[in-house]
């Protein structure tokens, strides 16, 4: 369907959620929405993972990374097959975080599908602040507890520490070169 963005699942990535990578990989597509339907889990992928496809009606988009022909183009729906064991059901309001891989959007696991109570939930405000700050984790340092409730507090702390170490190293280098 032309009004549906179908996003692949990079099931082999070791992390999922808004703060993957040692120092925080760039987010590619971030939005809120409502789960419209979930299919039954299948064994199509064999021993690799258990796919469960779902469709989300997109409510509001906060970040769109330009990926050429694969860029989000105001589609109304989003589908992916990483819902298995996510704890998310039809009718749930969600915050979704995607990355890119091989020139297309990807979702690295159900940790990137976060059930929220409302479209103005603390996690939504935090991710918007993070995006507005050009994904500087220090700007949402006070939100570690918010993200801990989704299982992403340590990941946020890790990328904050990486950012601080990088800044300290950069400052040492600039002082040493004077």
């Amino acid at each position: 369907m032309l009004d549906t963005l179908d996003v692949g699942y990079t099931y082999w990535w070791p992390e999922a959620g808004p703060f993957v990578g040692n120092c925080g990989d760039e987010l590619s597509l971030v939005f809120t929405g409502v789960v419209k339907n979930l299919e039954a889990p299948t064994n199509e992928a064999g021993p690799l993972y258990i796919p469960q496809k779902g469709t989300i009606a997109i409510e509001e988009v906060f970040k769109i990374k330009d990926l050429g022909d694969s860029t989000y183009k105001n589609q109304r729906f989003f589908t992916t097959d990483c819902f298995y064991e996510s704890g998310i059901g039809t009718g749930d309001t969600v915050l979704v975080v995607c990355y890119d891989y091989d020139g297309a959007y990807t979702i690295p696991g159900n940790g990137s599908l976060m059930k929220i109570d409302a479209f103005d939930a603390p996690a939504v405000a935090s991710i918007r602040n993070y995006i507005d700050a050009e994904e500087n984790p220090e700007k949402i340092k006070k939100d570690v507890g918010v993200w801990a409730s989704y299982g992403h507090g340590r990941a946020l702390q890790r990328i904050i520490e990486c950012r601080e170490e990088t800044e300290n190293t950069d400052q040492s280098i600039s002082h040493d070169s004077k």
Side-chain angles (χ1 to χ4, degrees):
M1 294 194 310
L2 292 174
D3 65 344
T4 301
L5 180 63
D6 188 26
V7 172
Y9 173 16
T10 44
Y11 61 87
W12 62 90
W13 283 19
E15 301 173 282
F19 313 110
V20 305
N22 229 15
C23 290
D25 292 351
E26 181 185 3
L27 302 172
S28 297
L29 180 66
V30 180
F31 66 92
T32 54
V34 176
V35 178
K36 289 301 179 187
N37 79 306
L38 290 174
E39 296 176 8
T42 70
N43 62 359
E44 282 175 20
L48 301 174
Y49 70 100
I50 298 173
Q52 182 179 15
K53 193 165 192 168
T55 302
I56 299 170
I58 297 171
E59 174 70 20
E60 187 173 2
V61 179
F62 306 118
K63 167 103 188 241
I64 303 168
K65 182 177 179 182
D66 186 350
L67 299 178
D69 292 341
S70 299
T71 301
Y72 168 78
K73 295 175 181 74
N74 297 314
Q75 290 94 333
R76 293 178 36 228
F77 299 97
F78 171 95
T79 62
T80 190
D81 67 352
C82 76
F83 280 89
Y84 184 68
E85 293 186 334
S86 66
I88 293 172
T90 302
D92 286 347
T93 303
V94 292
L95 172 62
V96 181
V97 178
C98 299
Y99 296 87
D100 57 277
Y101 179 77
D102 278 353
Y105 297 118
T106 186
I107 191 158
N110 62 29
S112 289
L113 302 167
M114 294 159 279
K115 185 176 175 180
I116 55 175
D117 294 333
F119 292 121
D120 62 352
V124 174
S126 179
I127 202 75
R128 291 183 76 168
N129 289 336
Y130 180 62
I131 292 166
D132 290 347
E134 297 180 7
E135 298 182 29
N136 178 348
E138 293 174 309
K139 300 296 182 186
I140 60 167
K141 199 177 210 174
K142 65 178 180 20
D143 298 340
V144 170
V146 168
W147 293 108
S149 66
Y150 292 94
H152 302 304
R154 283 197 173 102
L156 174 55
Q157 192 61 47
R158 181 190 67 239
I159 69 169
I160 290 168
E161 289 167 5
C162 178
R163 176 86 176 217
E164 289 170 348
E165 287 172 18
T166 303
E167 286 174 355
N168 290 338
T169 303
D170 291 347
Q171 288 173 358
S172 305
I173 292 169
S174 67
H175 288 304
D176 293 344
S177 62
K178 288 183 181 174

